[in-house]
Amino acid sequence: MELIQNTPEISAYLAADEVIDHEHPRVRATAATLSVDAPDAYTYAKAAFEFVRDTIPHSQDVGDPRVAWRASDVLAQRTGICYAKAHALVALLRAEGIPAGLCYQKLEVIHGLVAVKLPGEEHWARQDPRGNKPGVDAQFRLDREQLAFPVRTECNELDYPVLFAEPHPVVLQCLREAVDRPHLWQTLPTDL
């Protein structure tokens, strides 16, 4: 899928902010640990993806009631829903100078993804750090997408074509207002 940047400058996809706080010591330390065995951007990006996908459980899958939305908090609490895990992965990528952004799918509710642009690559590549479970097998790939959930157009699902440099306001508001994950689950956005 060809993504359309909501901000034309690539520098926006490297920036730090309140959510993608890649200058936070916890994010920097995690990035430093992951980069030890990563001689190039591809190896690092794959390691960061697998770290978020595999070591930070999706809070719904494990029944964790906490709601994290800031990347450093996701890394500290080691839990989060798809949006939070996407924020953590984007922060880890940007911490190592790899352009990354946020994109979304409309399923029953809005699902959060990441797109990365590695050196030498012409296009952004969508990745899904949601976390695997039976029936879900997301993988880090550049040659083709292997996301957690393929869009079913017959169910009015769709891939939003916009690549955001920062979290979509609807998503961020939902996360910030949630008192816990059960409350969050009742208020997830169904459209952007």
Side-chain angles (χ1 to χ4, degrees):
M1 162 174 215
E2 193 68 32
L3 294 168
I4 303 160
Q5 294 176 207
N6 79 322
T7 305
E9 297 82 24
I10 198 74
S11 61
Y13 298 90
L14 291 165
D17 61 29
E18 181 185 16
V19 180
I20 312 297
D21 59 342
H22 66 74
E23 294 170 350
H24 189 281
R26 185 172 294 110
V27 177
R28 303 303 283 179
T30 304
T33 300
L34 293 170
S35 68
V36 167
D37 294 320
D40 56 47
Y42 174 85
T43 307
Y44 175 81
K46 184 176 185 204
F49 168 83
E50 290 174 350
F51 174 81
V52 172
R53 182 194 65 191
D54 299 342
T55 70
I56 300 173
H58 190 287
S59 56
Q60 175 71 13
D61 292 350
V62 296
D64 193 320
R66 297 174 293 169
V67 175
W69 50 269
R70 185 177 290 114
S72 58
D73 293 338
V74 174
L75 294 174
Q77 294 177 20
R78 292 292 177 111
T79 190
I81 68 165
C82 61
Y83 313 135
K85 291 180 65 148
H87 299 165
L89 179 55
V90 167
L92 289 171
L93 293 168
R94 291 182 185 181
E96 290 295 309
I98 299 170
L102 300 156
C103 45
Y104 302 92
Q105 293 176 308
K106 179 180 177 165
L107 306 173
E108 288 181 26
V109 294
I110 300 304
H111 178 57
L113 305 170
V114 169
V116 60
K117 190 164 190 178
L118 291 174
E121 293 293 326
E122 194 173 318
H123 302 284
W124 291 92
R126 291 191 311 167
Q127 309 296 332
D128 192 342
R130 181 228 178 269
N132 290 339
K133 62 180 186 175
V136 174
D137 184 28
Q139 299 296 325
F140 185 86
R141 300 188 68 128
L142 300 181
D143 60 334
R144 65 179 176 84
E145 290 185 341
Q146 190 166 339
L147 306 177
F149 307 110
V151 163
R152 301 168 300 169
T153 54
E154 68 276 11
C155 297
N156 293 322
E157 296 177 348
L158 61 93
D159 289 309
Y160 288 104
V162 178
L163 176 63
F164 295 90
E166 59 286 318
H168 191 282
V170 168
V171 167
L172 193 53
Q173 179 181 355
C174 174
L175 287 168
R176 284 182 167 159
E177 291 178 355
V179 295
D180 58 21
R181 188 198 33 80
H183 175 255
L184 175 64
W185 226 242
Q186 296 173 357
T187 61
L188 290 173
T190 57
D191 209 347
L192 294 182

